[in-house]
Amino acid sequence: NARLITSVNDLQLVEKSMADLAGSAGTSLESMKALIEQNKNVLQRCEIIQRQTQNLCTSMSMQNFFSLILQCDVDNSGCFDQAELKLIAEGMKGLEPDFREDVFYCVLKRKRERLGIERNTLSGMMEVARNMMNENLPERDRIIARKRNMTRDDLPP
């Protein structure tokens, strides 16, 4: 995404240089402008696709998380003891490679403290879900670490 923006900006710089060459080389400035406009349109479509993909991934994560909660509430009490929490944490590690168990437990602890209760409840799990969906949290507070953008170094040779 950032690369495409940089590419469009670079093309605009090239446009200026091409304008200087257009007179002597006979290159059409209008065709260069059309290419730049086409690249802008491609960038906009890529951004839309990226947002749609992120929304789909978030939806799938939430569905998997809530399914996991239901499966791990072994006694169907709506409260989660340490063994059930451990099952949830292990399940999340399998579903989300960037799951941060320490932050998961911290979010639950803060919720219990705010409510003045000792047991982990569905209310705490809702707090976890809100954390997972909140894109504005600082990285240190995120249960699911942000995935970094792929670079050329990630591509096979």
Side-chain angles (χ1 to χ4, degrees), residues 27 45 72 78 95 99 108 125 129-130 133 157:
T27 303
R45 286 191 299 248
C72 293
L95 294 172
F99 175 74
L108 290 171
M125 293 303 160
R130 280 189 284 280
M133 292 173 35

Side-chain angles (χ1 to χ4, degrees), residues 129-140:
R130 280 189 284 280
N131 176 295
M132 291 169 57
M133 292 173 35
N134 188 345
E135 291 295 320
N136 299 318
L137 284 174
E139 188 62 28
R140 69 179 182 280

Side-chain angles (χ1 to χ4, degrees), residues 2-156:
R3 283 181 142 165
L4 288 175
I5 292 171
T6 302
S7 294
V8 169
N9 291 338
D10 290 346
L11 282 173
Q12 289 171 339
L13 293 173
V14 170
E15 177 185 10
K16 184 184 179 320
S17 299
M18 294 300 291
D20 296 339
L21 295 174
S24 61
T27 303
S28 169
L29 185 59
E30 291 305 315
S31 65
M32 181 60 72
K33 285 182 179 180
L35 285 173
I36 289 172
E37 192 60 35
Q38 186 179 17
N39 278 346
K40 286 180 182 178
N41 291 336
V42 168
L43 174 62
Q44 289 172 344
R45 286 191 299 248
C46 287
E47 288 171 341
I48 290 168
I49 291 169
Q50 182 182 18
R51 280 192 303 273
Q52 290 173 337
T53 302
Q54 286 173 332
N55 290 341
L56 179 62
C57 288
T58 299
S59 296
M60 289 173 60
S61 288
M62 288 297 99
Q63 183 177 358
N64 289 338
F65 176 66
F66 287 117
S67 177
L68 183 63
I69 288 171
L70 293 173
Q71 291 172 5
C72 293
D73 185 10
V74 178
D75 59 2
N76 294 318
S77 66
C79 292
F80 302 89
D81 61 27
Q82 283 307 111
E84 292 169 327
L85 288 179
K86 190 69 177 164
L87 287 172
I88 293 170
E90 291 302 315
M92 285 302 295
K93 288 178 194 174
L95 294 172
E96 294 284 346
D98 299 312
F99 175 74
R100 295 173 56 209
E101 188 173 358
D102 58 330
V103 179
F104 169 74
Y105 284 115
C106 191
V107 166
L108 290 171
K109 180 182 177 186
R110 283 194 308 255
K111 183 65 173 186
R112 284 192 321 267
E113 288 171 352
R114 270 196 316 272
L115 295 176
I117 59 176
E118 292 185 22
R119 300 207 51 202
N120 293 291
T121 64
L122 286 173
S123 179
M125 293 303 160
M126 292 303 294
E127 192 74 19
V128 168
R130 280 189 284 280
N131 176 295
M132 291 169 57
M133 292 173 35
N134 188 345
E135 291 295 320
N136 299 318
L137 284 174
E139 188 62 28
R140 69 179 182 280
D141 296 335
R142 298 178 59 79
I143 291 173
I144 307 295
R146 278 195 181 92
K147 293 170 180 52
R148 65 180 181 79
N149 290 331
M150 183 181 276
T151 66
R152 284 183 187 212
D153 298 331
D154 297 317
L155 298 175

